[in-house]
Amino acid sequence: IFPISRGKNVMRYARYTCYAFLNTFTYTHIYYMRTTKQILPGVKEIGWVRCEHLVNDIALRGIAMMPVPVLTEIHNVPFFDEPTCECVTENDGGNRTDTAKLKFASEDLLPLKEHLAFVVTAIDGNSYIIGARETPFPVVKLTISFGDADGDGAGFIYEITHKAIKSLVPCDK
């Protein structure tokens, strides 16, 4: 396998087989690797739920474009500054992988000893869930900020990363 052309988001590969007795080349496969990024325009609400209370097969429902019902209590998280939420989709040889990242600052400490999923509501009113009942669970990175003398707020900075076949799934809350 060797590269044929290179682009910013597309790299195309081809595999050629040589038959010595025919002295010809036979084309067999072309693979495409594409990367797309979905960025929510703004985050209005963030909430967390325990993964054990979610419905089964959230990723498969997301692939089928079915909204996922959230049938448990959503614990709202107060945040400050500007939270960001994005999802990067990579296709590599027919395998699809989504990586969703949510970053926000809050004054509340979340229960990090449990497996948490996050419900994010964008400014357009659409809600999305990051996480599932099954593995892989979202990874929560916590940074404690003490603020600066010039007035930056002190609090907890959370960075949630979830990597699955479908990660940022529309939901009904």
Side-chain angles (χ1 to χ4, degrees):
I1 298 175
F2 55 93
I4 291 178
S5 66
R6 295 179 190 260
K8 183 175 180 185
N9 291 329
V10 177
M11 183 172 288
R12 192 171 68 172
Y13 288 93
R15 177 182 293 158
Y16 290 91
T17 309
C18 176
Y19 296 100
F21 60 93
L22 294 176
N23 200 13
T24 61
F25 288 93
T26 305
Y27 164 79
T28 55
H29 298 286
I30 292 184
Y31 299 100
Y32 289 98
M33 183 174 66
R34 296 185 187 262
T35 302
T36 58
K37 182 184 271 191
Q38 175 187 4
I39 301 173
L40 294 185
V43 176
K44 183 169 64 171
E45 290 180 17
I46 299 173
W48 63 268
V49 296
R50 290 180 175 83
C51 288
E52 62 193 25
H53 297 290
L54 295 173
V55 296
N56 292 329
D57 302 322
I58 287 179
L60 296 179
R61 292 174 192 237
I63 290 172
M65 306 297 272
M66 296 172 52
V68 175
V70 178
L71 305 173
T72 185
E73 181 183 0
I74 300 172
H75 304 275
N76 286 330
V77 179
F79 58 87
F80 55 90
D81 288 341
E82 189 68 29
T84 60
C85 184
E86 66 182 29
C87 183
V88 177
T89 303
E90 296 177 348
N91 292 327
D92 184 15
N95 296 325
R96 175 187 171 148
T97 305
D98 277 5
T99 304
K101 291 185 181 180
L102 171 65
K103 188 172 183 180
F104 64 93
S106 177
E107 61 267 4
D108 286 357
L109 184 61
L110 302 179
L112 299 178
K113 293 186 179 188
E114 302 178 29
H115 295 296
L116 302 179
F118 293 86
V119 177
V120 180
T121 304
I123 57 172
D124 59 1
N126 295 328
S127 295
Y128 302 90
I129 190 162
I130 299 172
R133 184 177 186 153
E134 306 87 12
T135 59
F137 299 112
V139 176
V140 180
K141 178 183 172 187
L142 171 64
T143 305
I144 300 173
S145 172
F146 294 104
D148 292 333
D150 62 355
D152 286 345
F156 303 104
I157 300 172
Y158 294 97
E159 186 171 340
I160 292 90
T161 305
H162 184 240
K163 191 170 188 174
I165 57 173
K166 185 70 177 167
S167 190
L168 190 63
V169 179
C171 68
D172 293 331
K173 50 179 202 167

